[in-house]
């Protein structure tokens, strides 16, 4: 059992590295990774990044699909890639949110999922 847990952790780390490197290569701004493992059932990690234009965000999503497929990640879902302020890439264990600056500020996902909110005041 321990071996499968170690393998899953390695796979998650590999996916996270591929995602963050791909976003950095595509000049995404303010890339943030949030650990959701003990806080959400839909994913273990959330990655949030900013792109400045629809085309850049769409290209980032396309490149993520290609790079995740190259490491064997199947069934990646993309929502909003047709030109919007927010594109969601659901890779199963990791969910990626690509925003234009105004939308990222409006939705404030980092604040919503911040560990600070779990601590009593």
């Amino acid at each position: 059992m321990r071996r499968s847990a170690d393998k899953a952790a390695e796979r998650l780390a590999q996916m996270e590295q591929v995602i963050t490197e791909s976003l950095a290569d595509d000049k995404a701004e303010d890339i943030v990774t949030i650990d959701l493992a003990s806080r959400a059932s839909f994913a273990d990690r959330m990655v949030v990044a900013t792109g400045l234009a629809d085309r850049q965000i769409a290209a980032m999503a396309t490149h993520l699909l290609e790079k995740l497929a190259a490491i064997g990640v199947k069934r990646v879902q993309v929502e909003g890639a047709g030109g919007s302020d927010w594109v969601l890439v659901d890779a199963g264990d990791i969910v990626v949110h690509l925003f234009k600056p105004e939308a990222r500020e409006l939705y404030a996902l980092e604040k919503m999922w911040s560990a600070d909110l779990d601590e009593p005041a």
Side-chain angles (χ1 to χ4, degrees):
M1 191 64 136
R2 172 116 172 110
R3 194 171 265 165
S4 71
D6 289 344
K7 191 172 184 177
E10 287 175 22
R11 181 70 171 162
L12 185 64
Q14 179 189 29
M15 287 175 61
E16 185 177 336
Q17 181 177 358
V18 165
I19 290 167
T20 56
E21 286 178 0
S22 179
L23 293 173
D25 289 347
D26 287 339
K27 308 293 189 248
E29 296 182 356
D30 197 19
I31 302 166
V32 174
T33 301
I34 302 167
D35 184 4
L36 300 176
S38 62
R39 299 153 30 99
S41 60
F42 62 88
D44 290 325
R45 300 272 188 290
M46 179 185 299
V47 177
V48 182
T50 301
L52 300 179
D54 291 348
R55 292 180 97 183
Q56 179 191 17
I57 292 172
M60 288 190 291
T62 299
H63 296 154
L64 284 175
L65 287 173
E66 293 167 356
K67 291 176 181 175
L68 289 168
I71 63 166
V73 178
K74 309 241 187 288
R75 299 185 190 163
V76 177
Q77 301 292 317
V78 177
E79 298 289 333
S84 68
D85 293 342
W86 180 4
V87 173
L88 171 75
V89 179
D90 184 348
D93 294 330
I94 300 179
V95 177
V96 182
H97 297 274
L98 306 172
F99 287 106
K100 281 188 175 174
E102 309 81 32
R104 184 170 181 172
E105 187 177 328
L106 175 67
Y107 290 104
L109 292 182
E110 296 101 321
K111 186 174 183 180
M112 182 186 311
W113 288 98
S114 168
D116 295 342
L117 294 179
D118 292 341
E119 298 171 8

